[in-house]
DNA sequence: CCGTGATCATTC
DNA sequence: GAATGATCACGG
């Protein structure tokens, strides 16, 4: 039965997650005492917050893995009728003025993605939030190939930002990882640096995993048609 | 105010 | 249709 304190072990976390598989979100919401929104337009993070609560995640909105003691990151991932991701996956915000000095191994992308509990959830917008069902959880760590792809993109993107190329960054860059805006709205600004090292105000950005990458992760573990 | 939880909605 | 850029709520 999920929904108490943080899990004491990986095995306990998995037991809790397995117990949720197949459940409709309305059932889980009732169990943890969360209201069910009629749609997600004004409640975009509702599914993630619900599952966090149901599993006993303890990190709040801190920049650290959701299960601090276990060093495991929780990600709900919306999937279509075939089990394929319908959205990209946010990883973390980018410290724009410092990213150039960070080593890959110490980066938040590397650390957060070292161990992720993926929980598929029906993501078809035509299904009401309360009717959407949770899928089989997957506790994942990147294999050598995935790790190398992530490192390559991270080096390119963070290197570009570190060299003052923030203005040249678009969502088109990166094979598996991309950089996109991450803010309340387009007017929000954060301190960054341009190519000459001058301080500039730029929109906050975050690293995201492309859906094709998370699709390959799910496909590696579940029997999902690639096309 | 900022980072995390993401999905929306317009553009390509 | 897919993908990018924009956006919304909440906790601390």
């Amino acid at each position: 039965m999920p929904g108490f304190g943080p899990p004491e072990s990986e095995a306990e976390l998995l037991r809790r997650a397995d117990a949720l598989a197949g459940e409709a979100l309305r059932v889980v919401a009732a169990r943890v005492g969360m209201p069910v929104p009629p749609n997600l337009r004004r409640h975009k993070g509702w599914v993630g917050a619900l599952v966090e609560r149901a599993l006993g995640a303890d990190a709040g909105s801190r920049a650290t893995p959701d299960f601090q003691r276990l060093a495991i990151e929780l990600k709900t991932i919306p999937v279509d009728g075939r089990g394929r991701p319908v959205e990209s996956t946010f990883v973390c915000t980018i410290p724009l003025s410092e990213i150039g000095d960070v080593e890959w191994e110490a980066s938040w992308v590397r650390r957060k993605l070292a161990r992720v509990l993926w929980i598929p959830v029906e993501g078809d917008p035509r299904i009401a939030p309360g009717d959407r069902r949770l899928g089989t959880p997957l506790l994942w760590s990147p294999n050598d190939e995935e790790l190398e792809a992530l490192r390559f993109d991270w080096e390119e993107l963070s290197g570009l930002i570190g060299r003052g190329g923030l203005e040249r960054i678009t969502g088109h860059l990166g094979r598996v990882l991309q950089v996109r805006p991450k803010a309340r709205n387009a007017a929000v600004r954060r301190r960054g640096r341009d190519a000459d090292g001058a301080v500039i105000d730029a929109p906050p950005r975050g690293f995201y995993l492309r859906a094709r990458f998370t699709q390959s992760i799910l496909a590696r573990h579940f029997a999902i048609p690639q096309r």
Side-chain angles (χ1 to χ4, degrees):
Chain A
M1 184 71 164
F4 300 102
E8 292 292 317
S9 67
E10 202 170 280
E12 184 183 351
L13 173 57
L14 273 177
R15 273 198 304 276
R16 293 184 184 184
D18 277 328
L20 293 179
E23 291 277 29
L25 299 187
R26 76 167 73 266
V27 175
V28 181
R31 204 175 281 160
V32 302
M34 280 178 70
V36 180
N39 62 69
L40 299 183
R41 196 168 72 85
R42 292 185 175 276
H43 302 272
K44 297 179 180 181
W46 180 76
V47 177
L50 171 65
V51 176
E52 279 187 352
R53 193 149 154 185
L55 293 178
D58 58 347
S61 64
R62 280 174 289 244
T64 175
D66 296 288
F67 299 95
Q68 301 188 87
R69 168 173 169 171
L70 302 177
I72 292 174
E73 175 75 8
L74 173 67
K75 289 293 181 194
T76 59
I77 181 161
V79 296
D80 65 16
R82 298 181 184 181
R84 297 180 305 191
V86 298
E87 287 286 355
S88 56
T89 299
F90 171 72
V91 180
C92 58
T93 52
I94 305 175
L96 292 177
S97 53
E98 303 152 36
I99 190 71
D101 301 321
V102 177
E103 298 286 335
W104 161 245
E105 289 296 337
S107 70
W108 278 114
V109 172
R110 176 69 185 96
R111 291 157 69 182
K112 282 199 167 183
L113 298 183
R115 202 137 180 81
V116 179
L117 181 63
W118 298 100
I119 303 206
V121 56
E122 287 180 321
D124 186 334
R126 293 169 300 190
I127 307 176
D131 291 339
R132 299 186 189 189
R133 290 167 299 167
L134 294 168
T136 303
L138 167 64
L139 187 56
W140 167 86
S141 289
N143 64 21
D144 291 347
E145 187 181 354
E146 290 161 341
L147 202 54
E148 174 55 21
L150 288 167
R151 188 197 63 75
F152 185 91
D153 283 353
W154 184 90
E155 299 279 10
E156 177 188 13
L157 294 165
S158 61
L160 185 51
I161 295 172
R163 293 191 304 276
L166 183 60
E167 304 302 313
R168 296 207 301 282
I169 294 267
T170 79
H172 296 276
L173 298 177
R175 287 180 303 158
V176 300
L177 196 66
Q178 65 180 166
V179 172
R180 304 225 306 276
K182 174 63 174 173
R184 183 67 179 74
N185 58 58
V188 175
R189 302 282 122 150
R190 187 73 45 74
R191 264 213 194 331
R193 291 184 182 280
D194 69 12
D196 300 322
V199 174
I200 59 173
D201 285 334
R205 316 296 173 94
F207 282 116
Y208 292 76
L209 298 176
R210 291 186 179 279
R212 78 166 72 112
F213 181 72
T214 50
Q215 177 184 335
S216 75
I217 292 173
L218 298 183
R220 180 151 76 81
H221 294 270
F222 302 118
I224 295 173
Q226 291 280 343
R227 316 201 47 167

